[in-house]
Amino acid sequence: MTPRRRRLVLVLGIVAGVAIAGALALQAFRENVMFFFDPTQIANGEAPSGERFRLGGMVEKGSVVRQPGSLDVQFVVTDFQRTVPVRYRGVLPDLFREGQGVVAHGRLGPDGVFTADEVLAKHDENYMPPEVHRSLKTPAAAPTPAPEG
Amino acid sequence: MLPELGQFALILALLLAALQAFFGLAAPALGRDRWLAAVMPATAGQAVMVGTAFACLVASFVRFDFSVAYVAENSNSALPLAYRVAAVWGAHEGSLLLWITLLAVWTVAVAFGVARLPARFGARVLGVLGLVSFGFILFTLATSNPFLRLDPPVPDGRDLNPLLQDPALALHPPLLYTGYVGFAVAFAFAIAAMLEGRLDQTWAKWTRPWTLAAWAFLTCGIALGSWWAYYELGWGGYWFWDPVENASFMPWLIGTALIHSLAVTDKRGLFKSWTLLLAIIAFSLSLLGTFLVRSGVLVSVHSFAADPARGVFILAFLVIMIGGALSLYAWRAPLLRSNAGFEFASRESFLLFNNILLVIAAATVFGGTLAPLISDTLGLGTLSVGPQYFNPTFLLPMLPLIALVAIGMHANWKRGRLGERGRPVIVAGLMALAIAIALVFGYYAGRPGLALVSFALGAWLVLSSLFDPLDRLRRGLSMPRAIIGMTLAHVAVGVFVIAVTAVETYTVEQDIAMARGETAHVGGFDFRFDGVDAIDGPNYDGVHGVVQVTRDGTPVVTMHPEKRRYLVQQSVMTEAAIASQAGRDLFVALGEDLGAGRWSLRIQIRPLINYVWLAAALMALGGAIAASDRRYRHARAAAAVPANAGQGSTA
């Protein structure tokens, strides 16, 4: 091959490789990306049934119910307009508390109960996931940061 | 007094950085050689002033000066001395000052280094670094001043975030930043070369050790962060594809490509404009990382602040720096033409494909990291991208890359024939396949597929890397540090691949509710839960569980997973207990009191996980050894080096 031909083959190879990688990445992206919904959107039927998505909001005060001695726990996520009951089996994160922000990954069942396979809580007391913060539409109901201790 | 002194020093540093940038860039551009003399004093002065400011902040922390807002936010009278120092970079303002300080340290090192280089080139390098310093100091003073006073002062501070009260995390930011900031040096060298309009192999020789050093620090920093996440977050994971992890990983990938591309530019005078582009991208991604972390636009463990003014400032800085650099590149790069050729299976080709694959990998990470941001901004819905996306798209370019490294190391420069060097590559490949089969079907019993492929590739890389140095030893040839470093780093990559494969394929984990005296059987071990005891720490209280581990009736270890409550912030923290064995880690985290006398526990057995970080440490060590090679130290200002000089077999 002449150097010119060789360079052409090389460039074509690179372009093809990048194109294939791009297509595969896009495919993986489309299949695996998770959308975020708040309880109001779920009540409006915007959330897909049977697909994994992220549910976010506040853990309603007094809603955490645990079967004594078992890993099964239920709680209610609220955006102060609508609520969604959540079922989870496993160890909850340290920062999971009633009245605090939470993001759960899982699926919405036909009974309207969200079965979570992963629960994430925010990482410090003044920090709320921005998506949760935005979905809390009533400013008055949004909790103020804890007073300086 | 001290905070005011610190702030004053920082303002002086800003002015001196401006002078450093002005004289460094204007003197060569306008041909005023007498101005060159001003660059060094300005640089030295800037470094001293930044050092003073940093020392003032450290002193304020050490002396419990709670009249300083930043100290009051991030320290407490019960906080031990070591963490009071580490608290300096525990939040946004201080970590920026750390960034600036480390940039000053690099700048001083570069100033010593460029003293031997042509005066105009050295001045330009320092000028670019001065420009970067100026931007960051201005940012700190304008939006994130750590020296602001509280009026009235508070009696006691709010304490450092308990997650950060840990030795590994105290060291993680300085190492990571040293790496990030180190790419500023390669960037400055690239800009200086473009301003000169001249780039020869000597340039690559000057740039290589700096880039290697930065890369080694970045490797250490990332590994330390990952190790910390593993034992401190209580989840037992070591990589979450968290946006901020990605932000540090993208410069690493591009930096890795840059190291190898520099090797080609150094040895053969090829890939010049590509090398420049990588140098610009590596630093741009470091800046982007800062933007992502500091502006709070992404949801992450690391997002400190959500102040829009900061985001806008960094974005503007980013646009000016990157936009300016790329414009300069578009204008100047066509001047830098290479005239040498190479054959298809030569080492140049292998390194070219290595670069392409690394850039593709970085691009997929980039896409996944920024997609949520873009989708959100365009109103397409709030989405998140997790490991389900990153794992496959990252593996796709990486697995062929490992094979390319295993073969490419034995390829010749310029010539496209493996020849007699082909045989050991094949032998190593067959041995690796045997090892992989033994591991999958013998030791770990099952689950072949990807594990078989990855084990084989990893083992192939290890064996193949060792061949050349062993051959050199046998024949009594000299062993330059560049080769030792390269071998070490490549062996480490192989070990890393094997370790990650084992962890990802053969981890056993279980969340379980246990009463006192109950035993859980996990992965061949018996975990007996013997209840919890109260504990009392300096600034926390809590409980620790007692878990007796036995295997076939033989006691193995007693583990004490803790649940701590930090008193000042009233935050609860899980301190997982980890027992490391040669082939695996036993991991027990204490969940919560479930009532009815039972606790939730998370039990994991993770094979070879320690070798993930060991491999990262070896990679960094390899980089450091290679950076100290003699041929860089003697790389003097020889203006023209013949295109074919210095052709060894190092890369």
Side-chain angles (χ1 to χ4, degrees):
Chain A
M1 279 194 281
T2 62
R4 206 190 166 83
R5 282 270 300 280
R6 200 161 50 229
R7 189 169 303 160
L8 190 69
V9 169
L10 203 66
V11 169
L12 284 180
I14 293 168
V15 170
V18 171
I20 292 170
L24 287 170
L26 215 62
Q27 179 71 10
F29 184 77
R30 216 174 291 157
E31 281 171 13
N32 294 309
V33 78
M34 276 200 297
F35 280 88
F36 175 91
F37 296 98
D38 60 34
T40 304
Q41 288 171 309
I42 291 172
N44 295 342
E46 289 174 38
S49 63
E51 258 178 62
R52 264 183 109 226
F53 65 89
R54 288 154 63 91
L55 161 70
M58 308 300 270
V59 182
E60 194 167 76
K61 287 219 164 100
S63 74
V64 179
V65 180
R66 182 185 283 289
Q67 208 68 33
S70 102
L71 287 174
D72 293 312
V73 62
Q74 298 200 5
F75 54 91
V76 173
V77 171
T78 176
D79 58 2
F80 303 108
Q81 302 200 337
R82 299 302 192 94
T83 61
V84 176
V86 178
R87 194 164 35 212
Y88 176 67
R89 181 182 168 78
V91 179
L92 288 167
D94 288 334
L95 298 157
F96 178 89
R97 250 173 267 169
E98 290 185 351
Q100 302 274 359
V102 70
V103 172
H105 297 183
R107 290 184 168 83
L108 191 65
D111 53 352
V113 177
F114 186 84
T115 306
D117 49 45
E118 198 175 352
V119 173
L120 309 168
K122 62 203 181 50
H123 273 278
D124 80 64
E125 70 212 59
N126 295 332
Y127 172 74
M128 196 188 294
E131 44 199 16
V132 174
H133 186 72
R134 235 173 302 147
S135 80
L136 297 176
K137 283 147 198 145
T138 45
T144 48
E148 310 275 306
Chain B
M1 230 349 250
L2 272 178
E4 282 74 23
L5 181 65
Q7 176 155 4
F8 184 61
L10 205 56
I11 294 171
L12 283 182
L14 180 77
L15 298 175
L16 287 164
L19 291 179
Q20 178 190 336
F22 175 77
F23 286 118
L25 294 172
L30 304 176
R32 306 216 174 193
D33 280 354
R34 274 197 299 169
W35 287 5
L36 289 175
V39 180
M40 280 297 182
T43 306
Q46 193 247 121
V48 169
M49 284 305 136
V50 167
T52 308
F54 189 72
C56 286
L57 190 60
V58 173
S60 299
F61 268 97
V62 171
R63 294 168 43 158
F64 304 104
D65 190 349
F66 297 126
S67 70
V68 179
Y70 183 72
V71 177
E73 279 289 314
N74 295 290
S75 181
N76 181 268
S77 50
L79 194 66
L81 175 67
Y83 292 133
R84 290 209 300 282
V85 175
V88 170
W89 50 83
H92 170 75
E93 290 86 349
S95 48
L96 265 179
L97 190 58
L98 176 70
W99 171 291
I100 293 164
T101 309
L102 290 170
L103 183 56
V105 173
W106 276 103
T107 306
V108 169
V110 170
F112 278 108
V114 296
R116 297 177 317 194
L117 305 185
R120 288 182 173 198
F121 180 80
R124 283 181 156 138
V125 169
L126 291 176
V128 175
L129 288 174
L131 210 55
V132 177
S133 294
F134 179 80
F136 269 87
I137 298 174
L138 187 64
F139 177 49
T140 307
L141 285 170
T143 69
S144 326
N145 191 340
F147 296 111
L148 295 180
R149 291 271 197 182
L150 274 179
D151 190 29
V154 290
D156 206 345
R158 295 195 56 225
D159 206 1
L160 179 63
N161 184 343
L163 276 172
L164 309 184
Q165 295 186 29
D166 179 90
L169 209 66
L171 285 175
H172 163 67
L175 282 174
L176 193 70
Y177 281 15
T178 308
Y180 261 10
V181 178
F183 284 131
V185 180
F187 175 79
F189 271 83
I191 300 290
M194 286 193 284
L195 290 173
E196 302 257 308
R198 206 171 57 109
L199 186 153
D200 48 30
Q201 283 162 281
T202 336
W203 175 86
K205 201 168 284 158
W206 297 335
T207 314
R208 278 182 87 181
W210 298 104
T211 314
L212 278 167
W215 178 87
F217 277 112
L218 190 60
T219 310
C220 277
I222 295 175
L224 208 58
S226 150
W227 185 47
W228 168 81
Y230 170 61
Y231 69 75
E232 183 72 25
L233 288 183
W235 293 105
Y238 59 97
W239 192 259
F240 300 90
W241 296 108
D242 174 286
V244 176
E245 288 175 339
N246 294 347
S248 65
F249 192 45
M250 289 186 279
W252 187 90
L253 287 168
I254 298 295
T256 310
L258 175 60
I259 298 173
H260 291 88
S261 161
L262 271 170
V264 181
T265 309
D266 177 9
K267 294 288 186 184
R268 299 272 294 122
L270 293 165
F271 298 0
K272 284 178 186 170
S273 37
W274 175 245
T275 303
L276 285 176
L277 190 59
L278 286 179
I280 295 171
I281 295 176
F283 183 58
S284 302
L285 287 174
S286 300
L287 287 179
L288 183 76
T290 314
F291 169 67
L292 291 181
V293 183
R294 302 302 164 208
S295 61
V297 289
L298 291 176
V299 187
S300 159
V301 196
H302 301 71
S303 318
F304 295 132
D307 180 349
R310 290 173 182 168
V312 170
F313 189 107
I314 300 187
L315 199 58
F317 185 58
L318 212 65
V319 168
I320 293 170
M321 288 306 280
I322 301 175
L326 288 178
S327 311
L328 186 64
Y329 177 78
W331 179 41
R332 289 292 200 171
L335 294 178
L336 311 166
R337 214 166 295 142
S338 315
N339 37 24
F342 57 92
E343 290 176 16
F344 186 70
S346 62
R347 186 178 288 205
E348 291 90 325
S349 290
F350 279 102
L351 287 169
L352 179 63
F353 282 111
N354 139 316
N355 267 245
I356 293 166
L357 290 173
L358 282 167
V359 171
I360 289 176
T364 61
V365 176
F366 185 83
T369 310
L370 288 193
L373 192 60
I374 294 165
S375 160
D376 207 30
T377 316
L378 300 181
L380 301 174
T382 312
L383 51 84
S384 80
V385 185
Q388 292 86 355
Y389 162 81
F390 286 109
N391 284 341
T393 52
F394 184 69
L395 272 184
L396 201 70
M398 278 300 136
L399 289 179
L401 176 65
I402 304 299
L404 280 185
V405 180
I407 306 169
M409 269 184 299
H410 301 283
N412 289 307
W413 291 108
K414 199 171 176 187
R415 275 177 301 128
R417 231 157 267 119
L418 277 174
E420 62 185 31
R421 289 158 152 252
R423 221 174 50 168
V425 178
I426 295 170
V427 172
L430 292 175
M431 282 167 67
L433 196 61
I435 292 173
I437 290 172
L439 274 177
V440 170
F441 295 105
Y443 189 69
Y444 286 119
R447 278 185 260 173
L450 194 56
L452 195 64
V453 176
S454 315
F455 275 142
L457 284 172
W460 191 20
L461 181 49
V462 172
L463 295 172
S464 178
S465 309
L466 288 174
F467 177 76
D468 190 44
L470 288 180
D471 189 49
R472 273 173 178 266
L473 272 184
R474 197 170 50 83
R475 290 196 291 169
L477 293 176
S478 73
M479 189 86 93
R481 290 194 189 177
I483 289 195
I484 300 175
M486 177 184 85
T487 305
L488 205 56
H490 285 163
V491 167
V493 173
V495 172
F496 181 84
V497 171
I498 294 171
V500 168
T501 308
V503 178
E504 291 298 317
T505 318
Y506 301 109
T507 289
V508 188
E509 57 184 317
Q510 207 171 351
D511 285 1
I512 189 168
M514 292 178 88
R516 194 189 181 104
E518 274 185 352
T519 300
H521 188 77
V522 182
F525 290 84
D526 290 309
F527 294 81
R528 193 183 74 210
F529 181 54
D530 283 348
V532 298
D533 297 326
I535 50 168
D536 199 12
N539 52 352
Y540 62 86
D541 60 16
V543 293
H544 77 202
V546 182
V547 178
Q548 299 282 355
V549 186
T550 54
R551 185 176 207 178
D552 304 326
T554 322
V556 177
V557 67
T558 306
M559 301 175 72
H560 298 282
E562 291 183 8
K563 201 85 189 173
R564 292 180 184 173
R565 188 173 51 132
Y566 282 82
L567 300 171
V568 178
Q569 300 193 353
Q570 286 293 316
S571 49
V572 177
M573 294 276 311
T574 300
E575 292 280 322
I578 297 170
S580 292
Q581 300 185 320
R584 67 191 67 79
D585 266 13
L586 309 178
F587 177 104
V588 178
L590 195 59
E592 60 208 304
D593 191 346
L594 301 174
R598 307 179 92 180
W599 282 75
S600 58
L601 280 98
R602 167 164 294 177
I603 299 174
Q604 298 179 338
I605 295 176
R606 293 189 170 261
L608 300 188
I609 189 158
N610 278 322
Y611 296 85
V612 172
W613 301 297
L614 180 75
L618 280 181
M619 277 182 225
L621 185 64
I625 291 176
S628 68
D629 193 86
R630 289 175 61 179
R631 58 188 289 275
Y632 305 134
R633 269 179 284 156
H634 297 295
R636 297 243 168 198
V641 172
N644 288 332
Q647 272 189 58
S649 61
T650 52

